[in-house]
Amino acid sequence: MKINFIDLQAQYKKYEKEINSEVLEVFASAQFIGGEKLNSLEKNLAVYTGAKHAIGCSSGTDALLLALMALDVGVGDEVITTPFTFIATAEVVALLGAKSVFVDIDEESYNIDPSKIEAAITKKTKAIIPVSLYGQCADMKAINDIAKKHNITVIEDACQSFGATYRGKKSCNLSTISCTSFFPSKPLGAYGDGGAIFTDNDELATKMRMLLNHGQNERYKHKYIGINGRLDAVQAAILNVKLKHFEEEVRLRDEIGSRYSDLLEDADVITPNIADGNTSVYAQYSIRVKNREAMVEKLSALGVPTAVHYPVPLHMQEAFKDLGYNIGDFPISELVSKEIMSLPMSAYLSEAEQDFVVQAIKG
Ligand SMILES: *Cc1c(COP(=O)(O)O)cnc(C)c1O
């Protein structure tokens, strides 16, 4: 059996007519940047998440960068986040000349451990970026409470959690600013790069809209130093189609994720722990195994693709050596990075495929 890690072709087949017709409309209109498709996507994203403002941008990375720029984060500032994430979360901090201060993760959720945040706060702390990893939100209430007490802004890195809920509220509407990614393999994926920023704050929204368009408030009037961080109309058109069907995909992902966990209950692996009151979109369905290399090889020999998110925590990356961290500083991140592996996952994984993956793991 040939199994895809993520089946984007099956998804395209399903929405092919709608996507083609939307994209052809953009071609015919020649409105490639901004315009009606983008406006309509932004409205739909705001309605979907419940956030007052949804702002399309060029990627999840740029969404995070723009959020920090809007808060004037720069040289001398510190930003708290976790070392167990994709590099983009901390990369943007470094690009602005600020310093990432890492806090270890919770061993159940793999998200930042709120009980360890206060010890990392200093006078220089400007923001906290909790990452809602694998599609499950971080403990946003606990994090927001701490941030409020210390007058720090919270930016949810929701690049993997668009569609997830936390205590009945949608990811991307749980903190002052939220950032998501529409990279093709994310739960809501474009056909290229894309992202969005969410906020209820009018001033921040206006500023981020300017920042992503070279800091302009009108053409050739530049109030800020910004970037070219726009989302193009073709991507917006495609995302609009996929967003229409997204709630159904979220339901399927939840079913498939839960089914994996049921089937793997008696296997010698640790399955995802979804906290009470949370739903996950399973951007990744990731399990922990004691001898990962052997498991990866065994599955690969049977034609089951896997991936590791993420094998090296950020404090152990050469790019961050100047932060001065050592091996052993974040023991839970280090442990999980040695044991974690992701299984094939998409709304289109069939029961037969899933059974095959499970049998391969158990066999
Ligand atoms: C994918 C991802 C990003 C970056 O998103 P891009 O759209 O690829 O720039 C940032 N943070 C996390 C946690 C991600 O998974």
Side-chain angles (χ1 to χ4, degrees):
M1 187 177 292
K2 159 101 180 62
I3 297 174
N4 291 307
F5 186 67
I6 299 176
D7 201 343
L8 290 176
Q9 283 161 330
Q11 190 196 45
Y12 175 59
K13 272 216 181 85
K14 195 158 168 214
Y15 309 144
E16 183 172 1
K17 277 211 184 83
E18 280 176 276
I19 287 177
N20 290 0
S21 119
E22 282 290 305
V23 165
L24 289 176
E25 268 184 38
V26 177
F27 291 172
S29 75
Q31 173 82 62
F32 296 115
I33 304 286
E36 184 257 315
K37 299 289 182 202
L38 179 62
N39 295 343
S40 138
L41 175 69
E42 289 180 338
K43 277 199 197 93
N44 295 336
L45 289 170
V47 169
Y48 181 81
T49 56
K52 184 168 177 197
H53 304 278
I55 305 165
C57 68
S58 42
S59 69
T61 305
D62 286 340
L64 291 162
L65 180 67
L66 289 159
L68 292 174
M69 287 170 78
L71 298 173
D72 295 316
V73 168
V75 176
D77 295 327
E78 294 178 354
V79 175
I80 292 175
T81 190
T82 125
F84 191 62
T85 177
F86 181 57
I87 189 164
T89 317
E91 200 174 32
V92 290
V93 175
L95 279 172
L96 294 173
K99 189 180 151 196
S100 285
V101 173
F102 294 131
V103 167
D104 211 353
I105 53 169
D106 166 70
E107 198 178 335
E108 301 282 308
S109 67
Y110 311 137
N111 289 327
I112 195 166
D113 183 342
S115 73
K116 294 182 179 150
I117 290 177
E118 275 197 295
I121 292 175
T122 72
K123 286 206 175 61
K124 298 176 179 168
T125 311
K126 269 268 183 83
I128 304 175
I129 311 183
V131 182
S132 296
L133 203 72
Y134 303 149
Q136 172 172 217
C137 291
D139 190 354
M140 297 302 288
K141 164 98 173 60
I143 296 163
N144 283 332
D145 287 350
I146 294 164
K148 195 166 174 201
K149 190 171 136 198
H150 296 272
N151 203 16
I152 297 166
T153 305
V154 178
I155 303 168
E156 185 192 12
D157 181 341
C159 286
Q160 299 185 9
S161 60
F162 185 83
T165 61
Y166 172 88
R167 303 189 182 188
K169 247 178 125 177
K170 287 249 167 49
S171 176
C172 296
N173 187 23
L174 301 168
S175 54
T176 301
I177 306 177
S178 313
C179 300
T180 199
S181 164
F182 302 129
F183 186 78
S185 60
K186 307 279 170 154
L188 180 62
Y191 285 2
D193 280 304
I197 321 167
F198 301 84
T199 186
D200 285 348
N201 182 305
D202 297 340
E203 277 157 49
L204 285 173
T206 305
K207 188 169 179 186
M208 291 189 290
R209 279 197 185 282
M210 283 192 233
L211 287 170
L212 69 77
N213 196 18
H214 300 291
Q216 307 186 91
N217 44 9
E218 353 166 359
R219 200 162 202 193
Y220 305 128
K221 292 263 173 67
H222 303 274
K223 179 165 175 167
Y224 307 109
I225 298 293
I227 62 172
N228 172 357
R230 299 178 296 248
L231 180 68
D232 68 70
V234 170
Q235 300 307 333
I238 293 163
L239 288 164
N240 247 334
V241 172
K242 289 214 205 172
L243 186 57
K244 258 198 280 176
H245 302 283
F246 189 63
E247 221 28 42
E248 171 64 6
E249 292 212 356
V250 168
R251 192 187 62 74
L252 290 168
R253 297 180 82 95
D254 181 56
E255 253 176 45
I256 292 167
S258 307
R259 188 165 183 271
Y260 257 139
S261 296
D262 290 344
L263 294 171
L264 288 168
E265 204 171 39
D266 59 349
D268 192 18
V269 304
I270 300 175
T271 54
N273 193 318
I274 309 305
D276 284 347
N278 281 3
T279 59
S280 176
V281 277
Y282 295 104
Q284 308 297 341
Y285 185 90
S286 304
I287 59 170
R288 282 164 63 192
V289 293
K290 281 285 171 232
N291 191 345
R292 180 175 65 202
E293 305 333 311
M295 182 65 87
V296 167
E297 258 178 47
K298 180 171 83 167
L299 294 189
S300 161
L302 292 165
V304 176
T306 58
V308 175
H309 306 94
Y310 297 93
V312 182
L314 298 189
H315 68 286
M316 289 162 61
Q317 295 283 355
E318 190 179 348
F320 288 122
K321 65 175 183 305
D322 290 349
L323 291 177
Y325 288 114
N326 297 303
I327 295 177
D329 284 350
F330 303 101
I332 302 179
S333 296
E334 291 170 32
L335 170 73
V336 174
S337 69
K338 286 194 186 90
E339 297 182 350
I340 202 84
M341 59 183 285
S342 304
L343 304 179
M345 176 74 207
S346 69
Y348 302 94
L349 189 71
S350 69
E351 286 198 0
E353 290 173 319
Q354 202 177 18
D355 292 340
F356 188 84
V357 174
V358 169
Q359 278 320 309
I361 291 168
K362 289 181 177 174

